[in-house]
Structures are given as C-alpha cells and as structure tokens.
C-alpha cells in the first residue's frame, strides 16, 4: 500500500508540481478497541481524504496516517479530544519528495561523469584541463593542445587547435572565460570544443571551414579568477594579480588591451571591477594572447565570449565612431542573431559595443580589430538578469546549442570573405 | 531637450518573473532633468493578468510562507550553480520584489542594476499577520560591473504595500527607506525588457 502511494506520489510529483505541500504523516496509536473504532470511522470520512500508510490492526500498535493539509486541523482536534496519542512522523510530504528527486538527480549526474564528461554541469579548472587531454586523445588527427603562457599564479594557459593540416593557415580565434564569474562561457567553450571535434566530417559548413582554416579555442582565459570563483568568491571578475601599493587584487582583463586603453568605461582604481591595470597588456593572460595572435600573423577573426545580456557586439567600444566595415559586421550579426533565435526563441540585440552596451576602452575585440582582424565579435550569452551570472546548469546545453549556429554563421562569413 | 534634460520614450513588454509568461505591455516616458534631481516618470500599462488572479497568487505565496513550522533561513540563493531550492523559491521571489525598490531608487540615467544573489536571509516571526525577512542581497551594477551588498528588511502582507528598509554598503551610514506607495504584489509583474541600461 505504502509503495503504491509513494509511487503515485512520485508520478504525480513528476507530472504536476507541489501536490503534497503541507501534508503530514501522523503516527497514531490507539490505546483500546474503542479508540480503534474511532480511528476507523475517521478514516472512512471521504471528505478528509485520509490515507493509511499503515493500517490500525491492534490496540497499542502504531498506524501511519497521511493527512492532507486542509484536514490537519480537524484530524488533530479529533485525536486530541478523544485522547488518542499521535506524533508527527513526516512534517511535510512535499519536502520529502523534493529531497528525493534531488538525490535521484544527483546520483544520475555522478554516474554520467565517471563514464563520459558531463557537459550539462559546471566544472572546475582542473576538470576542464583534464578533459582537454581527453578531447585530444579522442581526436588526435584534428585536435591538439598548445600552451601559450602562464597566468599570474602560474597556471598554464591552454589553447585547443583544430586543424586538418596545412601550414599557418588562416585562422579563427575563439575565447571564453576571460571574466571568471561568467561561468556559462567556459561551459559553452567546452561544449563547443566537443561540437567542433564531433561535427568535422558531419556538418558540411564546419567541414568546409576546417578543410582550409584552423580554429583556435581558449576555454579558460582567466584560470586564476576561475579557481577563485570556485574556492572563495563566486562573483569574482578580474585576474588575481597583486596591485602594487593597493590592498585590492586583480585587473579587468577586458580593459587591459591596447586599444583605447585608459579611456571611458575603465577605471584607474585597483579596487574597481573595471580596473584597466598599470599599463596595456600588463596581465600575462592578455599578453599571452596578444603574443600568440601577433606571432601567428594569420588570424582573420576573433570572437570573445562573455555573459550576460544576450547581445552580439562588434567594435568599437572605446569610441563612438563606427568601424570602417560596420555595415558588413552589422549584417553578419543580424543573421547570426536570427539563426540563434531560431533554435529556442532566445532574443539577442546586436550592434557596436558603444551603441549597444556602453563605452569601454581596452577591450579584446577593439584591439583585434585595430590590429587588422576585420571580423571581431563579442557575444554576451544568457540571460538578461534573472539569474545573471548564476545561470542554472540546466541552461548550459541549450545556451551552447543555440550559440553554435551563430558561431558557424560568423565562421562561414570569414571563410567566404578572405583577405 | 535643450536646457531641460534627456527624455526617453519606452515601449516594452512585461513578464511574470516566476513563470516567464507574458503579463502585458507598457508605454513610458522618463525625463532625466539636467539638474540631476529625480527623474520624472510617466507610465501606462496594459495588464493581461487581472487583480483577482494576482491576489490569489499573492495569497498562495503568503500562505506557503506562513505555514512553515520554523523560521526560514537560507544563504546563497541561487547557489553557485544557479540552483534555487524549491522551498526557498518564494523567499527569493520576495527578495526580487524588495530589491526592485532599492534598484528603483538607486538607478540613474547611467547606472542600472540586477539582483545577482540573495547572500543570506532570515525570517523574523511577528505576532501580527505580517511576514518579515532580513536579507543581504547582492546587486550587480552596470556599467561599473560592481557587486553592491545591501542589507534589506522587508515586511509584507497581501493587499498592503511592501515595506522595504535598506542600507547598501557603498553608501553612508543612514538607513534608507524604500517603502512603496502602492499595494505591492510579490507574485506580480516586475521586470521590463527593452530598456537598455
């Protein structure tokens, strides 16, 4: 009986939420035959919707009775006025069901991660770094891992290279996790890396792209900050570099680039979240990318991924003057945003950084653009503020899934417009 | 507007913060005077939810909180992974409502806010019918990107204006009073899309 009830409860709970909020289970002990009779009569009153999990069998033996919230008052009064002893065994049936659902989910999650990587949950720096090796091992002909430098706290800075050969081919650069609290970005980076590896040879557009271009993807641009969000402050944004003469730590890596460095939207105060740093490229996390892209010499597109706001942006952020090819960039953004929305209906706005979000000097894409990379974009992923940085992990795969066609649109455009 | 200030014309849809369903649309004008005094707001909304519906939801929310056997306490809502425990969701919803008063008062032409997280919450049991909570909420400020910590004391009874008293860390020592002037509805409509901060 109890099994059937719990099963029904679970099914009901799965289909419609909150069916048993406030319901209690009382352990009732009838002292003699008279009390037993009273209890049975109580149970027969259909309007109370009582349910015996364990029926009253003999005086002195406990009976377990589930009482819906609206009937609680009456039942307890009845028991008390008839001197039938009882105790509250379960204070809230719904809470118990919720707990159970949670535990079930948790164990399911652990199972998935021992055999395959769980793309639907958030991971630590170490977990991601370990997985990079797994990805390379699974796709040795396509993917390799490069180290482009070290973070302030001496963590390696890894970049995945997706290449089908050639020598110094035109390349597309993607990065995620420059601002450590934007967890959806590193998670999207991991999913996307996996997607690229899987879709080569399957997706016609991606295959054509990789047959003549390389893709570089740095998933954790700011590993020190990221580790800090796990260990100490979930809302940490900057790097973890010590600022001489200040108790405040860190530089905003997206104000540290040499394009409009020191301008509007960046701060000279080390305690500020938009502190630009003592000088452009002071942060090793930034310098490493600068050196890589300049050293490579053939990067044709830079896409830097942030959250949140649901926007697709292009230069400039440090000035209001439009970028020379802003019309083209606008068209590309328009198509990408439309294809993104086609997946789940998620609406993005788009435009130049200065027009669409706010003025900001020293950003990644402005630097890339001013250094000859014509197709530079910044994504601001989900959401628009309800969860903000604390986006539930259930949204990781949907976010990455909808962003993928937008990324493809950009990459296809770059492929079809060589320069 | 020369010699006067900046006037914004807004058209936006509103949605139920908890369910995400469309709840209507609004037309508004906001005039930020050159003098930097408080903005002048004119707003007209078409609500798709009727008063009765809103009242019922308010009462349900209220009853759920009232019939808890112990004072509600919690922290990090949502947690680092974006999870909100079902039992604490109503408390989070109230925090959003209360924070909106704080954000309404703090916002300027150039500064906007979102509620990033409820750092901690503690319920104060009262002898009367009002429910009362003590919150520490974290507000995300744009474009500065700062996280502002605010201490918020919230009192509410359905059908009554929500009373909000707050003190945000970046301000001076006085307690600010963000009490509403109209009946507050915790289950009601809060956020507009379209206004770009």
């Amino acid at each position: 009986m109890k099994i059937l009830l719990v099963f029904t409860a679970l099914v009901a709970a799965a289909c419609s939420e909150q069916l048993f909020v406030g319901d209690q289970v009382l352990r009732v002990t009838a002292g003699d035959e008279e009390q037993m009779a009273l209890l049975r009569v109580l149970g027969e009153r259909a309007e109370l919707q009582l349910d015996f999990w364990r029926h009253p069998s003999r005086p002195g033996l406990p009976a377990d009775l589930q009482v819906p919230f609206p009937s609680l008052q009456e039942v307890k009064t009845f028991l008390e006025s008839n001197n039938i002893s009882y105790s509250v065994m379960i204070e809230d049936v719904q809470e118990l069901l919720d707990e159970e659902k949670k535990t079930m989910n948790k164990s399911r999650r652990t199972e998935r991660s021992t055999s395959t990587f769980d793309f639907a949950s958030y991971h630590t720096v170490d977990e991601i770094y370990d997985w990079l090796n797994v990805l390379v091992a699974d796709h040795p002909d396509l993917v390799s891992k490069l180290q482009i430098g070290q973070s302030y706290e001496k963590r390696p800075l890894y970049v995945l290279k997706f290449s089908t050969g050639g020598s110094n081919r035109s390349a597309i650069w993607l990065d995620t996790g420059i601002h450590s609290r934007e967890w959806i970005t590193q998670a999207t980076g991991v999913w996307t890396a996996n997607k690229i590896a899987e879709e080569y040879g399957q997706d016609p557009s991606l295959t054509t792209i990789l047959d003549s271009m390389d893709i570089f993807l740095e998933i954790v641009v700011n590993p020190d900050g990221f580790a800090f969000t796990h260990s100490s402050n979930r809302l940490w944004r900057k790097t973890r570099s010590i600022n001489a003469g200040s108790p405040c730590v860190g530089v905003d890596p997206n104000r540290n680039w040499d394009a409009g460095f020191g301008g509007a939207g960046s701060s000279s105060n080390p305690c500020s979240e938009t502190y630009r740093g003592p000088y452009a490229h002071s942060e090793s996390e930034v310098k490493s990318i600068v050196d890589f892209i300049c050293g490579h010499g053939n990067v044709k597109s830079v896409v830097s991924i942030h959250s949140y706001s649901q926007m697709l942006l292009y230069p400039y952020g440090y000035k209001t003057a439009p970028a020379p090819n802003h019309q083209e960039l606008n068209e590309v953004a328009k198509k990408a945003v439309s294809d993104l929305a086609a997946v789940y209906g998620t609406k993005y706005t788009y435009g130049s950084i200065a027009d669409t979000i706010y003025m900001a000097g020293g950003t990644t894409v402005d630097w890339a653009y001013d250094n000859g990379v014509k197709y530079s974009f910044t994504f601001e992923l989900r959401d628009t503020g309800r969860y903000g940085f604390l986006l539930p992990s259930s949204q990781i795969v949907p976010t990455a899934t909808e962003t993928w066609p937008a990324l493809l649109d950009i990459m296809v455009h770059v492929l079809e417009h060589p320069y | 507007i020369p010699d006067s200030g900046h006037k914004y014309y807004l058209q936006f849809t509103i949605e139920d913060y908890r369910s995400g369903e469309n709840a209507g649309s609004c037309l508004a004008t906001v005039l930020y005077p050159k003098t930097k005094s408080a903005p002048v707001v004119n707003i007209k909304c078409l609500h798709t939810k009727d008063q009765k519906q809103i009242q019922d939801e308010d009462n349900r929310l209220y009853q759920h909180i009232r019939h808890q056997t112990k004072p509600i306490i919690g922290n990090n809502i949502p947690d680092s992974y974006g999870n909100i425990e079902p039992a604490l969701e109503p408390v989070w919803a109230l925090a959003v409502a209360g924070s909106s008063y704080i954000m309404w008062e703090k916002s300027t032409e150039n500064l906007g806010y979102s509620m990033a997280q409820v750092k901690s919450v503690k319920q104060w049991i009262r002898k009367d019918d009002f429910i009362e909570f003590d919150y520490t909420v974290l507000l995300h400020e744009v474009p500065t990107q700062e996280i502002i910590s605010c201490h918020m004391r919230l009192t509410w009874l359905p059908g009554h204006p929500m009373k909000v008293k707050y003190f945000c860390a970046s301000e001076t020592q006085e307690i600010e009073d963000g009490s509403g002037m109209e009946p507050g509805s915790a289950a009601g409509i809060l956020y507009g899309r379209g206004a770009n901060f």
Side-chain angles (χ1 to χ4, degrees), chain A residues 21-22 69 91-92 95 98 102 122 181 183 230 234-235 237 271-274 308 311 356-358 385-387 389-393, chain B residues 15-20 64 67-69 78-82 84-86 92 114-117 138 140 143-147 196-197:
Chain A
V21 181
F69 178 56
E91 255 189 70
D92 189 322
E95 258 182 64
D98 290 339
K102 242 202 301 176
Y122 291 112
R181 62 190 181 197
W183 278 19
H230 279 276
R234 174 62 177 81
L235 296 175
R237 166 185 169 91
C271 297
S272 165
E273 295 280 22
T274 54
Y308 57 92
M311 295 174 177
T356 316
I357 196 166
Y358 41 69
R386 181 211 229 90
Y387 288 102
F389 301 119
L390 308 182
L391 198 70
S393 47
Chain B
E15 61 176 32
D16 183 304
Y17 206 76
R18 298 169 85 200
S19 69
H64 178 105
H67 100 263
Q68 299 301 310
T69 49
D79 65 18
S80 288
Y81 306 89
I84 298 178
E85 239 160 280
W92 175 77
S114 291
M115 188 188 90
Q117 191 184 42
L138 298 178
H140 174 217
T144 61
Q145 295 297 335
E146 301 295 331
I147 302 293
N196 210 339
F197 292 103

Side-chain angles (χ1 to χ4, degrees), chain A residues 211-226:
Chain A
D211 279 343
S212 54
M213 298 182 76
D214 292 342
I215 298 174
F216 292 98
L217 169 51
E218 184 176 3
I219 297 174
V220 192
V221 171
N222 180 7
D224 295 348
F226 193 45

Side-chain angles (χ1 to χ4, degrees), chain B residues 28-91:
Chain B
T29 63
V30 182
L31 169 63
Y32 289 101
K34 224 170 159 197
T35 56
K36 303 293 179 202
S37 50
V40 179
V41 177
N42 276 300
I43 183 164
K44 209 174 244 132
C45 294
L46 216 84
H47 297 285
T48 51
K49 248 194 203 165
D50 61 45
Q51 265 304 112
K52 178 88 181 38
Q53 237 185 310
I54 295 173
Q55 266 173 45
D56 286 346
E57 287 182 23
D58 276 0
N59 283 319
R60 240 177 287 146
L61 178 66
Y62 174 77
Q63 288 302 334
H64 178 105
I65 292 174
R66 275 291 274 193
H67 100 263
Q68 299 301 310
T69 49
K70 307 163 275 219
I72 297 169
I73 50 164
N75 38 47
N76 293 328
I77 313 165
D79 65 18
S80 288
Y81 306 89
N83 300 318
I84 298 178
E85 239 160 280
L88 291 174
E89 197 270 349
V91 171

Side-chain angles (χ1 to χ4, degrees), chain A residues 234-247:
Chain A
R234 174 62 177 81
L235 296 175
W236 187 260
R237 166 185 169 91
K238 304 187 285 182
T239 60
R240 291 294 301 165
S241 53
I242 309 272
N243 292 309
S246 171

Side-chain angles (χ1 to χ4, degrees), chain A residues 266-279:
Chain A
S266 70
S267 170
S268 56
N269 180 354
C271 297
S272 165
E273 295 280 22
T274 54
Y275 176 49
R276 62 181 76 113
Y279 53 88

Side-chain angles (χ1 to χ4, degrees), chain A residues 28 69 125 139 153 195 203 224 271 273 296 317 352 372-373 405 418:
Chain A
V28 187
F69 178 56
V125 190
H139 305 272
E153 291 173 350
K195 184 75 169 169
D203 179 301
D224 295 348
C271 297
E273 295 280 22
H296 185 278
S352 74
V373 183

